[in-house]
Amino acid sequence: MKFLVPLYCFLIVSQVTLAQSTYKKTLKLMGSRFDITVIADSQEQANGFINDAVEEIQRIERLISSWDPNSQTSLINSQAGIKPVVVDLELFTLIKRAIGISKLTQGAFDISYASMDKIWHFDGSMTKMPEASTIKQSVSKVGYKNIILDEANHSVFLKLKGMKIGFGAIGKGYAADQAKALLKEKGVQGGIINASGDMNTWGYQTNGKPWQIAITNPLNKDHVFAMLPVDDRAIVTSGNYEKYVKFNNTRYTHIIDPRTGYPSTGVISVSVLAPKAELADALATSIFVMGKDIGLDFVNQLEQIDCIIIDENGTVFYSNNIKPKK
Ligand code: ADP
Ligand code: MG
């Protein structure tokens, strides 16, 4: 009995001193809005964690940016058709994984989409459909099979002159994964990295409950139609309802099929759940290109991957494992 009293006191004290709160900061990184949320003991501690995450994201941006002429990615692009470029192992393996996703999606996802001629404009300025031959010509430099990797010295060679790679559909997901991994390593118990809809969570809320992710319909943004409790998986939403052009009653949206040069049709929003945000990000873009039927079929064949697709009529479709019970 003697021991119980001091032990009890200690428990109370430790509970008070360890009370943690949720801290959030919104920043512009990689040309997009990032919301970083961490659970920490104090504002000061949270600021330190958030700064570490920001530095990590900026480091990745310097590596993969196609805008920064000094990035290793720009160097690869500038040497297209000329010579291989030796890059950091990190960039080399990112490109290798991207090519893996191209193979998995049979070319619906392709980082060499970046060399596509810009013949489609989704700002209301187009008056007629481009000619079929112009559309075909626009993708003549696109093709992941012409990205040549040399494992021995981490070099990347784009075979065709004018070829380019870009990480627009995978980079934010990769940055969100890296920021999460860094903060976990630093002992942050729970948090959310939200890179403009590329969401990565870990741990629990301060009340011990899992984080909840609200899914909205782009046709009615104020209406949340699903609240998903998230596990350790990432959830990424791709979709820009405003960016489209309409010809002959067909609505063409801003994500273009890199194999044909035609914009995707039928789908207005895709959310993907996957173990990593990088994969979820790339698959969300791919499913746009595949369309609803092939996209659902594709996801239903993959382990640990789920998706929610919204078509142009606002109808919501779920992959088999997350179908809400009727
Ligand atoms: P967002 O991040 O805008 O929600 P996505 O994740 O779908 O949208 O990424 C769209 C970006 O991905 C485009 O702006 C372009 O840079 C790039 N992209 C478009 N189509 C493809 C494709 N088929 N394969 C790889 N990258 C693509
Ligand atoms: Mg994407």
Side-chain angles (χ1 to χ4, degrees):
M1 220 27 213
K2 248 186 183 168
F3 289 110
L4 268 182
V5 177
L7 183 64
Y8 182 62
C9 287
F10 171 74
L11 280 178
I12 296 217
V13 169
S14 70
Q15 248 186 8
V16 171
T17 51
L18 288 183
Q20 293 194 305
S21 303
T22 310
Y23 300 90
K24 179 174 164 183
K25 192 166 181 184
T26 300
L27 307 115
K28 192 156 186 199
L29 293 161
M30 305 179 98
S32 307
R33 177 188 161 135
F34 272 67
D35 299 286
I36 302 176
T37 305
V38 291
I39 287 178
D41 298 337
S42 65
Q43 181 72 58
E44 198 186 347
Q45 191 191 38
N47 288 348
F49 290 142
I50 291 170
N51 285 343
D52 291 341
V54 169
E55 274 173 26
E56 174 66 358
I57 295 162
Q58 288 171 335
R59 183 189 68 76
I60 293 168
E61 187 177 9
R62 283 193 294 274
L63 196 64
I64 68 173
S65 164
S66 330
W67 304 111
D68 176 356
N70 298 315
S71 74
Q72 294 191 4
T73 303
S74 295
L75 203 60
I76 295 172
N77 289 341
S78 71
Q79 296 302 312
I82 303 170
K83 66 174 195 316
V85 175
V86 175
V87 297
D88 288 358
L89 183 61
E90 181 180 8
L91 181 61
F92 183 85
T93 51
L94 176 66
I95 295 172
K96 197 169 148 184
R97 290 195 301 277
I99 293 174
I101 299 171
S102 294
K103 290 179 182 158
L104 182 71
T105 60
Q106 300 182 339
F109 177 82
D110 194 330
I111 52 170
S112 72
Y113 82 89
S115 50
M116 209 182 294
D117 297 332
K118 292 208 172 19
I119 57 167
W120 299 92
H121 305 279
F122 302 97
D123 54 4
S125 63
M126 284 183 90
T127 50
K128 66 177 178 44
M129 186 99 170
E131 295 291 331
S133 56
T134 312
I135 296 172
K136 193 166 173 221
Q137 179 60 29
S138 72
V139 289
S140 62
K141 304 258 170 55
V142 180
Y144 68 92
K145 289 180 182 151
N146 287 325
I147 306 172
I148 311 301
L149 300 183
D150 183 341
E151 293 277 350
N153 51 16
H154 314 152
S155 73
V156 184
F157 178 47
L158 307 182
K159 249 165 113 177
L160 309 178
K161 243 194 147 75
M163 241 183 115
K164 266 189 221 146
I165 54 171
F167 298 96
I170 191 171
K172 275 187 301 195
Y174 175 62
D177 286 337
Q178 291 295 105
K180 169 180 165 177
L182 180 86
L183 292 180
K184 275 178 91 168
E185 200 183 288
K186 291 196 175 275
V188 181
Q189 299 287 317
I192 310 173
I193 311 286
N194 179 359
S196 303
D198 291 18
M199 302 276 265
N200 227 338
T201 67
W202 72 100
Y204 294 90
Q205 301 184 59
T206 45
N207 63 10
K209 296 200 169 135
W211 301 104
Q212 298 264 330
I213 304 274
I215 308 275
T216 57
N217 189 326
L219 295 176
N220 180 3
K221 283 205 175 102
D222 301 329
H223 174 64
V224 172
F225 70 83
M227 285 297 287
L228 293 178
V230 277
D231 31 43
D232 214 26
R233 283 192 295 177
I235 176 160
V236 167
T237 299
S238 187
N240 188 330
Y241 179 65
E242 287 83 22
K243 282 196 193 166
Y244 70 94
V245 60
K246 216 167 177 176
F247 296 119
N248 305 326
N249 270 333
T250 301
R251 192 191 146 100
Y252 295 95
T253 65
H254 76 298
I255 293 181
I256 299 171
D257 188 332
R259 298 161 298 193
T260 63
Y262 281 85
S264 56
T265 58
V267 170
I268 59 168
S269 169
V270 177
S271 301
V272 173
L273 289 112
K276 289 278 174 102
E278 174 189 309
L279 181 62
D281 195 2
L283 292 183
T285 307
S286 313
I287 293 166
F288 245 98
V289 172
M290 292 175 186
K292 169 182 69 83
D293 293 331
I294 297 177
L296 278 174
D297 201 41
F298 170 74
V299 167
N300 283 331
Q301 293 176 44
L302 299 174
E303 298 255 335
Q304 294 201 69
I305 314 283
D306 288 304
C307 77
I308 302 170
I309 300 177
I310 303 175
D311 75 2
E312 59 190 351
N313 303 316
T315 311
V316 186
F317 299 87
Y318 298 85
S319 60
N320 289 342
N321 288 336
I322 51 163
K323 259 188 194 143
K325 297 201 170 46
K326 289 255 160 73

